[in-house]
Amino acid sequence: MPILVMKFGGTSVATLDKIKRAAKRVGREVANGYDVIVVVSAMSGETNKLVGYVNETSPMYDAREYDAVVSSGENVTAGLMALTLQEMDVPARSWQGWQVPLKTNSSHGAARIEEIPTDNILAKFGEGMKVAVVAGFQGISPEGRITTLGRGGSDTTAVAFAAAFDADRCDIYTDVDGVYTTDPRIESKASKLEKIAFEEMLELASLGAKVLQTRSVELAMRYGVRLRVLSSFEEYDPNAGTLICAEEDIVENKPVSGIAASREEAKMTLLSVADRPGIAASIFGPLAEAGVNVDMIIQNISEEGRTDMTFSCPVDQVNRAKAALGAARDRGEFNFGELVSDTEVAKISLVGIGMRSQSGVAAKMFKVLSDEGINIKVIATSEIKISVLVDRKYTELAVQALHDAFELDKS
Amino acid sequence: MPILVMKFGGTSVATLDKIKRAAKRVGREVANGYDVIVVVSAMSGETNKLVGYVNETSPMYDAREYDAVVSSGENVTAGLMALTLQEMDVPARSWQGWQVPLKTNSSHGAARIEEIPTDNILAKFGEGMKVAVVAGFQGISPEGRITTLGRGGSDTTAVAFAAAFDADRCDIYTDVDGVYTTDPRIESKASKLEKIAFEEMLELASLGAKVLQTRSVELAMRYGVRLRVLSSFEEYDPNAGTLICAEEDIVENKPVSGIAASREEAKMTLLSVADRPGIAASIFGPLAEAGVNVDMIIQNISEEGRTDMTFSCPVDQVNRAKAALGAARDRGEFNFGELVSDTEVAKISLVGIGMRSQSGVAAKMFKVLSDEGINIKVIATSEIKISVLVDRKYTELAVQALHDAFELDKS
């Protein structure tokens, strides 16, 4: 039998009624001829409650005990899902992480999956079981302790099972019905993408489209797992949602697949820095140590041995960045004339694998923004992405103009 | 290091504050020089919530999934208790049932403990850990599935650990401060017993004193585990509570240790039954099959080959008993003249191992009741117990008069 992995997030299993709705979708895929592995999250709110207990008990908690406590929510859902399927006469049973066993390393709270033996579950499929319900987000360490994979880890669990069992597809059921060309709250003409390449999804995920955990997309790309994101609250439709797949599975690439906007950005410039080898390391080393997530980095043309260094970071890290740079200067690690920060910027990014083969995307982007009177403050590009920083007040205008210009409402 | 087992029930770990209070008691015993095994229940209300989920999902549930779901509450408390102890600088870690592993048979929902290997936990004690926190109520079956021991199973878990680790004592912390000579709601002069023998506790437990699960007392008796019942809500006192121990540890036995009263009793009499071999089996067989818990059985003197057969059972099983006996008569299994039931009776029992060596207890009991004008309807005795059925309206009067006569307020 072909195997399908179906993952249901916390909002999709928030109540017994929602578990029943999810189970009906599973039953339909069983009727379609699949052996199904269902990965479930905790009922929504449960994990937060448990995390709250741990934080209140012990602010500097032992991560092994944290994992033992917070993993319990998924166990409850897994058992209830198995019971619901049994009530529908679908042969099912639950597995907790240690029972599979889903083997991880010992990095409690953010463990990495090392191995998923398939014999145990395949044997049950061989005996006529149709659905294996697996508690997401959890595994077992070499020491026999319970581990968790970090928040959102159930997506990663699902993809890892799909890879280990060579599943036809991994369906991620969530509270949105797919991946959109841009945030529909910013551009009402945003349209749902039928397909998107792994690389594009990774750029969009890290840019703030919170549909899928980045790690799960990376894993899917590495193992060639076809991922589908779809809503658990819509009527059944075999072609629903967005398929995240390899580039070669997408027949025609438009130059731009999606536009991401991030408002919580700040731009910082160090004026008059000595232009010498190692200067970048001496600036960004202390920032990294201080936990500042530096994103774009621009170094201007040098004049008379001095240069300006500009970077962007999340706006709530500006004070931390200032303190780190000031301390480094006080220690004599480097010198600068002035530190200028602009905390009123937004980052607008175009993403598309089509950019690789089609030129002129950047030029068109700059012209569209210019026509709207929007000044570009910083530009950064990668093979499949162009990002610019603009004044935050232009966020909606920039996204809407670019969405129109690249005809994304017709996807 | 000597080992102490401490068990905290649901009300003793109902909130993070209560867990902290319980942890302080554990810390004090560590300071007293013990290596401690703490057995915890789920936070009060949690298990009922989970049982509710299962019942709503699947009325005829798969007991294996039931166990996987309802065992999760204890895992949460175990982790939180370990974290709380760590915060107090007491080296501690949690164990779930499968991690110990607490091996049981496969009777899901009511599993029996088969083995508790000690090497794992003893090794950690050897490395300097002071407290092993164990999730109560749960174990692992030979098939690797999670099992539960039945409601109240955490008492049994605690006693089983005390037996396996040859603990000095097993302290059961609960919401009452010990075992009383009788129910203080019936007799305000009821006094707390300092010590009580296992056999007496078993009689009192099965008579309705809901302090300890009967199974845990049986287990303690079999393995000679000294049990102490005490309140988790009182100030620390090394002599608090009631010690349940072997008969030989009790220096002076009073003839009567306690009085139990059960109001929910009914008396049923089959008039004019044929007095022939096998008649008792043909009457009580159908009652057992119908799930009627027959308690006392009295057969009157036979006259002309006919006899009357009287028995008592819980008052809410009277209709079931009538139906079962009527059906058996209809099937021709036996005949009787009339079935008379009295649903307004109570059972009053005197319990005491001293009865074995001191005569006259029964005679004194009958005289006390007679002096109060209370008619005795049925009498049943065992080696350490005398039970009588009386009209329910005399329950308080009977208990108070007997409590006075046997001077139980001076224990």
Side-chain angles (χ1 to χ4, degrees), chain B residues 10 18 70 83 116 144 212 214 237 258 280 283 285 289 293 308 318 363 385 401-402:
Chain B
K18 285 184 178 166
V70 303
L83 287 168
I116 302 182
L212 276 178
T214 306
D237 169 1
I283 291 173
E289 275 165 35
N293 298 309
D308 299 339
V318 165
K385 181 180 71 169
L402 291 165

Side-chain angles (χ1 to χ4, degrees), chain B residues 66 143 374:
Chain B
Y66 171 95
E143 296 78 29
I374 301 171

Side-chain angles (χ1 to χ4, degrees), chain A residues 16 49 56-58 62 65 68-69 72 76 79-80 82-84 86-87 93-94 96 98-99 144-146, chain B residues 16 49 56-58 62 65 68-69 72 76 79-80 82-84 86-87 93-94 96 98-99 144-146:
Chain A
L16 298 184
K49 184 186 81 176
E56 197 180 329
T57 299
S58 176
D62 175 349
E65 300 298 344
V69 171
S72 73
V76 171
L80 294 175
L83 287 167
T84 307
Q86 290 175 359
E87 278 293 299
R93 72 157 271 200
S94 69
Q96 300 185 1
W98 60 271
Q99 287 176 316
R145 304 291 300 261
I146 293 170
Chain B
L16 298 186
K49 185 186 82 178
E56 197 179 329
T57 299
S58 176
D62 175 349
E65 300 298 344
V69 171
S72 74
V76 171
L80 294 176
L83 287 168
T84 307
Q86 290 175 359
E87 278 293 300
R93 72 157 272 199
S94 70
Q96 300 185 2
W98 59 272
Q99 288 176 316
R145 304 290 300 261
I146 293 169

Side-chain angles (χ1 to χ4, degrees), chain B residues 309-325:
Chain B
M309 189 77 80
T310 297
F311 63 91
S312 70
C313 70
V315 71
D316 60 0
Q317 296 179 358
V318 165
N319 289 334
R320 204 187 301 168
K322 282 181 181 169
L325 293 171

Side-chain angles (χ1 to χ4, degrees), chain B residues 232-244:
Chain B
S232 58
F233 302 109
E234 309 232 315
E235 287 307 302
Y236 179 78
D237 169 1
N239 297 313
T242 299
L243 188 71
I244 301 145

Side-chain angles (χ1 to χ4, degrees), chain B residues 116-389:
Chain B
I116 302 182
T118 58
D119 45 341
N120 198 336
I121 288 175
L122 287 180
K124 291 288 172 188
F125 279 142
E127 293 168 15
M129 184 193 66
K130 301 308 296 175
V131 182
V133 185
V134 175
F137 174 61
Q138 59 180 255
I140 181 170
S141 75
E143 296 78 29
R145 304 290 300 261
I146 293 169
T147 53
T148 64
L149 311 180
R151 295 308 291 266
S154 292
D155 286 349
T156 307
T157 305
V159 173
F161 269 88
F165 285 83
D166 197 19
D168 271 14
R169 203 175 63 239
C170 177
D171 285 350
I172 308 282
Y173 284 87
T174 177
D175 46 7
V176 298
D177 66 350
V179 180
Y180 275 72
T181 50
T182 194
D183 185 340
R185 288 168 302 184
I186 294 180
E187 166 56 275
S188 58
K189 285 183 282 181
S191 59
K192 187 164 71 66
L193 292 160
E194 197 186 319
K195 289 183 178 181
I196 185 171
F198 291 124
E199 294 86 345
E200 293 172 320
M201 189 66 215
L202 276 177
E203 292 288 359
L204 289 170
S206 61
L207 290 171
K210 286 163 191 133
V211 180
L212 276 178
Q213 219 211 358
T214 306
R215 220 167 116 203
S216 67
V217 181
E218 283 170 2
L219 200 62
M221 182 162 76
R222 184 165 355 130
Y223 290 101
V225 172
R226 289 153 59 88
L227 263 179
R228 192 168 61 145
V229 173
L230 67 176
S231 167
S232 58
F233 302 109
E234 309 232 315
E235 287 307 302
Y236 179 78
D237 169 1
N239 297 313
T242 299
L243 188 71
I244 301 145
C245 55
E247 194 178 334
E248 50 271 28
D249 291 340
I250 301 175
V251 178
E252 193 186 2
N253 288 323
K254 301 178 82 170
V256 175
S257 295
I259 304 175
S262 163
R263 295 171 206 258
E264 309 299 311
E265 302 288 325
K267 166 175 160 284
M268 304 190 78
T269 302
L270 289 162
L271 296 175
S272 191
V273 180
D275 188 11
R276 57 169 169 81
I279 183 69
S282 49
I283 291 173
F284 294 105
L287 288 172
E289 275 165 35
V292 176
N293 298 309
V294 171
D295 178 20
M296 303 157 99
I297 299 176
I298 310 291
Q299 186 175 347
N300 280 5
I301 294 163
S302 174
E303 277 179 48
E304 296 171 9
R306 311 296 294 177
T307 185
D308 299 339
M309 189 77 80
T310 297
F311 63 91
S312 70
C313 70
V315 71
D316 60 0
Q317 296 179 358
V318 165
N319 289 334
R320 204 187 301 168
K322 282 181 181 169
L325 293 171
R329 180 167 63 176
D330 294 347
R331 288 195 302 270
E333 293 174 16
F334 60 90
N335 207 344
F336 55 84
E338 202 181 338
L339 175 54
V340 181
S341 60
D342 180 352
T343 57
E344 293 288 329
V345 296
K347 181 170 69 169
I348 312 293
S349 306
L350 299 188
V351 173
I353 46 173
M355 283 183 207
R356 285 197 195 124
S357 51
Q358 298 178 45
S359 59
V361 174
K364 183 170 175 181
M365 180 185 198
F366 303 153
K367 174 151 197 319
V368 168
L369 295 175
S370 163
D371 287 349
E372 299 291 341
I374 301 171
N375 187 36
I376 296 170
K377 305 189 157 203
V378 174
I379 299 170
T381 61
S382 77
E383 207 183 9
I384 65 165
K385 181 180 71 169
I386 309 169
S387 297
V388 298
L389 289 189

Side-chain angles (χ1 to χ4, degrees), chain A residues 298-330:
Chain A
I298 311 292
Q299 185 173 348
N300 280 5
I301 295 162
S302 174
E303 274 177 49
E304 296 173 7
R306 311 293 296 177
T307 185
D308 298 339
M309 190 77 79
T310 296
F311 63 90
S312 70
C313 70
V315 71
D316 60 1
Q317 296 179 357
V318 165
N319 289 334
R320 204 188 300 171
K322 282 182 180 170
L325 292 171
R329 180 167 63 175
D330 294 346

